[in-house]
Amino acid sequence: MTSDPLWTQHLAADALDLVHERARPYLDALPDRPVRDVDGKPTLDDLGGDLPEAGTGALDAVAELLRIGLATATHSTGPRFFHFVVGGSTPAAMAGDWVTSLLDQAGGLWTASPLASTAETVVLRWLKDLFGLPSGHGGVLTPSATLANLTGLAAARWWWADRHGVDITATGFAGLPPMPVLSSGLVHPSVRKALQILGCGRDTVRVHAADGTGRLDLDALAETLAAVDGPAVLLASAGDVNTGAFDPIDDLADLADRHGAWLHVDGAFGLFAALSPVSAHLTRGIERAHSVAADGHKWLNVPYDCGFVFVRDPDLLTRAFGSWGAAYLRSGDDDHIDYNTRGPESSRRARALPIWATLRAYGRDGHREMVERHLRLARHLADRVDGAPDLELLAPAQLCVVCFRYRPPGLPADRLDDLNARLATEVVADGRVYLGSTVYDGVTALRPAIVNWRTTEADVDLLVDIVRETGARITSGGAHP
Ligand SMILES: *Cc1c(COP(=O)(O)O)cnc(C)c1O
């Protein structure tokens, strides 16, 4: 026995007290601190070293983790992380997540945790209501939109193989042709990754883009679909990461109806457009899709990790993921759902609890208000870009992403890509705000996304100021201080 009474009951509460003590000052400081401390005292190297032979004890270990973690973490849960599409964590969701860890439920099986299973059923129902999806849809929580896409497409794949007379769950792909998958140019890499994992092949997606922005060429897609022999899968993007652009979901649903195709929608963050009358037109037709995937850790502002998917025919989820055939795993019924038969995970955390907490705390109104605040902030950012002589808006800002670039008058066009890539790197190195570059319609662009409940107009203004200041410094030849 070491000096640490390792298995003493009260130590868990003492260790939690340590975390709790640090939480308030950390959260209080978030609005004003840099996204990353450029010269925090401990470094990531402090995490390293050999596996300890004798442990240091719970309190020391947690204190050390806090010391290193608080100094070296990316403070992306704060208001000025505009890179990728990274949500924050509402107060209720963050505390709900602590409750999840406290209770440590095995959330895959009803018998292991009726609480986790019931909460999942309830939040899936609430989420369908929130987005205006039919109440009969089946659903499951996933760790991410990537796995939500995978889950929806696994249901599609089961349906498609069944149309060919094959039970793909039982016998796999043998004897089947490639699964036809059609999309616009907005298809997200995670959808390709899902197809790759499902054995359908990442590069089998037939892209129909009208131009360099990836916008759907509907006529071309309709033509391809008409020529496909047998059932096909159509992909719709609800919210492109570069610009927030949407495919015309209703038109794709018409085509799916006409040709008996499956329509899968990737609405990782864009599904939340359905929450506001200002943006709901973008998601028109989504209720007609066969599967809809989205993220919780983006615009819902629950902590990592959280995604969810809905499928029109709930049976298809169990067909794709159930039937394990293990004697000790018996399948539940609709009142006693084993969620490990509806998605790719077996053992899983009670991911529903933070969602339950945030929807209970703020309701439909609160989440709509958050989305609308972000829509206003994105328009404000676009207006500031439009009003600045050295910035150029590259796409309309219709959602929460604003795609633009730094373009000082007089600079040759062939220098702009390098300049904007370097600008993004230097802004990240500066640490006060975070953003990244992308390639949009052939040019290097910046594309901040606003989905964090903490973000204010002052944060957005600071972003614009820092971009312009950094751009001016680079073009005047000034070095990074
Ligand atoms: C973020 C995102 C994904 C992937 O989500 P993860 O949670 O990172 O797996 C898929 N599609 C779109 C449009 C996204 O923005």
Side-chain angles (χ1 to χ4, degrees):
M1 203 67 179
T2 67
S3 58
D4 180 30
L6 195 57
W7 314 110
T8 302
Q9 177 62 24
H10 73 265
L11 270 184
D14 289 349
L16 288 177
D17 279 346
L18 276 184
V19 181
H20 177 240
E21 256 168 43
R22 298 303 179 86
R24 187 179 297 277
Y26 179 71
L27 293 170
D28 284 350
L30 263 184
D32 301 310
R33 73 177 308 161
V35 181
R36 191 180 280 162
D37 299 324
V38 200
D39 47 21
K41 280 237 160 48
T43 70
L44 294 175
D45 292 338
D46 294 319
L47 289 170
D50 296 330
L51 169 70
E53 293 301 334
T56 55
L59 297 184
D60 279 1
V62 172
E64 194 180 359
L65 182 59
L66 279 164
R67 190 174 59 82
I68 301 169
L70 290 170
T72 60
T74 307
H75 307 297
S76 46
T77 201
R80 292 193 298 276
F81 189 92
F82 299 102
H83 206 351
F84 312 109
V85 184
V86 170
S89 181
T90 67
M94 184 173 279
D97 200 59
W98 285 23
V99 175
T100 310
S101 290
L102 175 69
L103 301 178
D104 192 22
Q105 300 291 282
L109 290 160
W110 163 272
T111 43
S113 175
L115 167 68
S117 176
T118 306
E120 185 151 351
T121 303
V122 170
V123 301
L124 289 167
R125 182 161 54 77
W126 285 358
L127 289 169
K128 281 184 274 188
D129 193 350
L130 190 65
F131 301 117
L133 292 171
S135 59
H137 277 23
V140 66
L141 300 179
T142 64
S144 64
T146 300
L147 287 184
N149 280 323
L150 178 135
T151 306
L153 288 169
R157 188 186 63 161
W158 196 93
W159 161 86
W160 163 82
D162 185 56
R163 296 285 310 276
H164 285 280
V166 172
D167 176 358
I168 199 166
T169 297
T171 60
F173 273 103
L176 285 164
M179 184 169 90
V181 183
L182 282 56
S183 81
S184 75
L186 302 182
V187 55
H188 189 269
S190 73
V191 175
R192 290 182 185 274
K193 182 174 182 176
L195 290 167
Q196 140 193 356
I197 299 169
L198 289 169
C200 300
R202 188 194 60 198
D203 298 337
T204 57
V205 181
R206 299 184 212 171
V207 169
H208 301 80
D211 55 35
T213 69
R215 192 166 56 84
L216 176 66
D217 184 339
L218 187 66
D219 293 340
L221 186 142
E223 212 171 291
T224 306
L225 183 58
V228 167
D229 193 18
V233 174
L234 309 185
L235 300 174
S237 290
D240 162 56
V241 282
N242 276 342
T243 66
F246 279 63
D247 285 329
I249 300 168
D250 220 20
D251 293 338
L252 287 167
D254 286 343
L255 279 181
D257 278 354
R258 196 170 317 139
H259 295 275
W262 180 285
L263 176 60
H264 172 79
V265 179
D266 174 9
F269 63 93
L271 182 58
F272 289 76
L275 265 62
S276 167
V278 179
S279 48
H281 61 280
L282 296 168
T283 60
R284 194 180 306 124
I286 202 138
E287 70 287 350
R288 300 171 64 198
H290 299 79
S291 50
V292 179
D295 255 322
H297 52 228
K298 288 178 182 168
W299 221 345
L300 188 61
N301 277 244
V302 301
Y304 286 95
D305 47 20
C306 180
F308 47 90
V309 63
F310 297 105
V311 173
R312 191 195 285 180
D313 178 356
D315 276 352
L316 290 176
L317 287 176
T318 13
R319 299 236 183 246
F321 294 105
S323 358
W324 290 22
Y328 76 105
L329 299 167
R330 280 186 293 117
S331 272
D333 54 44
D334 276 357
D335 295 324
H336 305 87
I337 297 176
D338 292 333
Y339 278 98
N340 68 8
T341 62
R342 303 205 169 188
E345 297 173 285
S346 303
S347 297
R348 53 211 286 279
R349 78 195 257 105
R351 206 167 276 126
L353 303 188
I355 303 179
W356 189 92
T358 201
L359 291 177
R360 183 70 161 190
Y362 313 110
R364 191 196 304 276
D365 287 350
H367 280 273
R368 182 185 60 238
E369 279 161 21
M370 170 168 58
V371 164
E372 291 183 339
R373 190 161 68 245
H374 294 148
L375 296 176
R376 280 197 303 278
L377 289 175
R379 275 199 305 275
H380 172 72
L381 174 52
D383 287 346
R384 288 228 34 204
V385 167
D386 259 345
D390 49 1
L391 299 178
E392 178 189 20
L393 193 64
L394 295 173
Q398 59 177 3
L399 203 65
C400 55
V401 185
V402 182
C403 188
F404 68 100
R405 64 177 171 171
Y406 183 65
R407 185 177 194 170
L411 201 77
D414 63 2
R415 284 189 51 199
L416 291 174
D417 284 351
D418 284 349
L419 171 59
N420 279 276
R422 178 158 169 220
L423 195 156
T425 310
E426 296 217 358
V427 168
V428 168
D430 171 281
R432 284 176 291 168
V433 303
Y434 241 64
L435 94 176
S437 63
T438 187
V439 175
Y440 173 69
D441 201 5
V443 304
T444 301
L446 311 171
R447 35 84 51 218
I450 305 166
V451 290
N452 186 309
W453 69 276
R454 293 176 185 275
T455 304
T456 65
E457 191 171 298
D459 297 316
V460 169
D461 285 337
L462 184 67
L463 168 76
V464 175
D465 294 345
I466 290 175
V467 165
R468 298 184 66 192
E469 173 194 311
T470 309
R473 197 181 61 234
I474 297 171
T475 45
S476 72
H480 185 64

